[in-house]
Amino acid sequence: MQKTIKIIRDYVEDTSSSLDTAIMLNGSWGSGKTYFVKKELIPALGEEKCVYVSLNGVKSADEITDRILLSIMGSDAGSEKKLWTSFYKFAKKADWGTKGNIARDFAFAFSGYLKDITINRNLKGCLLIVDDLERVSDDLLIKDVLGFFCTHFIEKQKQKIFFICNESEIKDPEYDSIKEKSISWTIEYAPKLEECFDSIVRNTSLVFHNKFLN
């Protein structure tokens, strides 16, 4: 997994125009991709250098933008964002199907222009981590989602984007063709048993840690 972290770090630090594309972490459901990203990758890169968002259930490009905005507002307790902190904590816990309507309505209060300015300014120098690509609503085509990120973030803003997904669950027949244009590197997530064990041990706060390790 350290090799994977190095690949992603090199991607983030590469400023050449030859890498104006996204990269992807592909693996089956339950393999531990999200756990790895949150517990290993983000701490390694730095919390302030990563913005994480899940696409689970999103139905439109506007909703994707709102989720990115809410994630940004919750990732920094700086003076310009303190106003959002308590709201973000609520929105993060809320069910997007019920209470989440309040979160969406609040985000919609921003004009599209103001959203873009806020998002682009706060994503500079950061890695945008986009999880659950295959879990978008049936109302959205994967090719349209990738096209949205490619057009509005990669091409216009030179934004570094790291997708996480289970490609075997993507049914869009045009996925391969659009992926070829927007994603330059796919990392297959299949960690060895020893790596998984080491990761769990390092993140365990058991009192009798040595006994547990033995």
Side-chain angles (χ1 to χ4, degrees), residues 170-183:
I170 295 178
K171 310 304 180 186
D172 189 335
E174 297 184 65
Y175 169 68
D176 289 338
S177 61
I178 191 67
K179 177 190 174 182
E180 185 178 344
K181 300 175 183 177
S182 55
I183 298 173

Side-chain angles (χ1 to χ4, degrees), residues 112-166:
Y113 182 67
L114 183 57
K115 286 180 186 178
D116 289 343
I117 291 177
T118 303
I119 289 173
N120 294 333
R121 183 180 69 241
N122 287 284
L123 283 180
K124 284 184 178 179
C126 292
L127 176 65
L128 177 57
I129 302 172
V130 182
D131 202 352
D132 299 315
L133 177 63
E134 78 282 7
R135 295 180 186 268
V136 298
S137 168
D138 292 338
D139 297 333
L140 271 179
L141 293 176
I142 297 296
K143 71 179 185 69
D144 292 335
V145 176
L146 290 179
F148 169 77
F149 279 104
C150 189
T151 300
H152 293 279
F153 291 94
I154 297 175
E155 293 178 1
K156 287 186 178 180
Q157 305 298 329
K158 306 302 180 184
Q159 179 63 48
K160 300 290 186 176
I161 298 181
F162 178 47
F163 290 105
I164 308 168
C165 80
N166 178 1

Side-chain angles (χ1 to χ4, degrees), residues 66-143:
D66 292 336
R67 291 198 184 187
I68 295 173
L69 177 65
L70 291 173
S71 183
I72 287 172
M73 292 306 156
S75 64
D76 191 332
S79 57
E80 67 174 357
K81 298 174 184 175
K82 285 181 179 178
L83 201 59
W84 289 83
T85 302
S86 59
F87 169 75
Y88 170 79
K89 288 179 179 178
F90 160 76
K92 190 175 182 181
K93 294 178 182 178
D95 177 1
W96 282 93
T98 53
K99 293 180 181 179
N101 289 330
I102 300 174
R104 283 197 297 269
D105 290 344
F106 198 88
F108 287 157
F110 278 80
S111 69
Y113 182 67
L114 183 57
K115 286 180 186 178
D116 289 343
I117 291 177
T118 303
I119 289 173
N120 294 333
R121 183 180 69 241
N122 287 284
L123 283 180
K124 284 184 178 179
C126 292
L127 176 65
L128 177 57
I129 302 172
V130 182
D131 202 352
D132 299 315
L133 177 63
E134 78 282 7
R135 295 180 186 268
V136 298
S137 168
D138 292 338
D139 297 333
L140 271 179
L141 293 176
I142 297 296
K143 71 179 185 69

Side-chain angles (χ1 to χ4, degrees), residues 8-21:
I8 299 168
R9 180 181 281 116
D10 289 346
Y11 163 75
V12 172
E13 295 175 352
D14 193 323
T15 58
S16 65
S17 58
S18 61
L19 273 183
D20 287 345
T21 53

